[in-house]
Amino acid sequence: MSIDKNKRKKMESLIYQVFDALDETGTNTKKYKDMFSKMSDKEFDDFFKQLFSNEDEYLVLDVVDYERDLRIEHVENAANILGVPLFEKVVMPFVNMDTENPIVTKYEVPVGYVHIKRVQQILSKKKTTS
């Protein structure tokens, strides 16, 4: 069973809106429109199933320094389209370990998703330093 045509249309529309907000030149939107237009509904469905099954895969925004700069205003616009908050009050467990009365920032602070790949330690390095 392939994806419903209305769902595909909504997904594509959301993707294009976000990339338009992030890149005023429209280069990234054009790249994804070209890519998705060549896919059948089944290929589109399979592509996103694979994308969502791996947390390390993304739809990539191409940014060219001094040609297509990414500014915080662009990120804010894209976050508003997706309904993702960029500012939140944050719990600070390093100040107080009491889970019943956590200490929270007085003001909302900028937060965001940071993708960090953990560096794998070499077994010999562990043994020599311990």
Side-chain angles (χ1 to χ4, degrees):
M1 182 177 154
S2 63
I3 192 168
D4 179 14
K5 288 197 182 294
N6 288 333
K7 286 182 183 178
R8 176 178 177 164
K9 196 178 209 180
K10 285 181 185 178
M11 284 177 68
E12 284 188 62
S13 176
L14 181 63
I15 291 166
Y16 302 149
Q17 286 176 17
V18 169
F19 279 106
D20 281 341
L22 292 170
D23 175 21
E24 294 172 335
T25 66
T27 306
N28 285 280
T29 302
K30 184 181 180 321
K31 176 179 96 172
Y32 286 109
K33 278 185 178 181
D34 290 344
M35 186 172 93
F36 296 147
S37 68
K38 295 174 185 168
M39 292 182 181
S40 68
D41 289 342
K42 174 141 180 45
E43 291 170 330
F44 185 84
D45 189 37
D46 292 342
F47 174 81
F48 278 98
K49 281 182 181 174
Q50 181 182 356
L51 183 80
F52 295 144
S53 70
N54 185 347
E55 66 182 30
D56 293 330
E57 288 191 34
Y58 310 94
L59 293 177
V60 177
L61 173 71
D62 293 328
V63 179
V64 179
D65 289 337
Y66 306 109
E67 186 179 321
R68 293 193 306 265
D69 288 331
L70 180 63
R71 296 191 312 266
I72 191 66
E73 296 86 18
H74 298 142
V75 175
E76 288 174 338
N77 291 340
N80 287 338
I81 290 168
L82 293 171
V84 176
L86 292 179
F87 295 89
E88 295 179 2
K89 292 189 176 183
V90 178
V91 175
M92 299 183 293
F94 55 87
V95 176
N96 180 6
M97 296 286 225
D98 184 5
T99 56
E100 298 294 321
N101 301 309
I103 295 181
V104 180
T105 56
K106 194 183 278 188
Y107 305 101
E108 290 187 337
V109 296
V111 294
Y113 176 78
V114 178
H115 179 72
I116 301 173
K117 291 188 177 184
R118 184 173 176 204
V119 179
Q120 297 297 318
Q121 294 179 336
I122 301 172
L123 186 60
S124 62
K125 177 72 174 171
K126 281 183 159 181
K127 286 182 178 178
T128 57
T129 57
S130 61

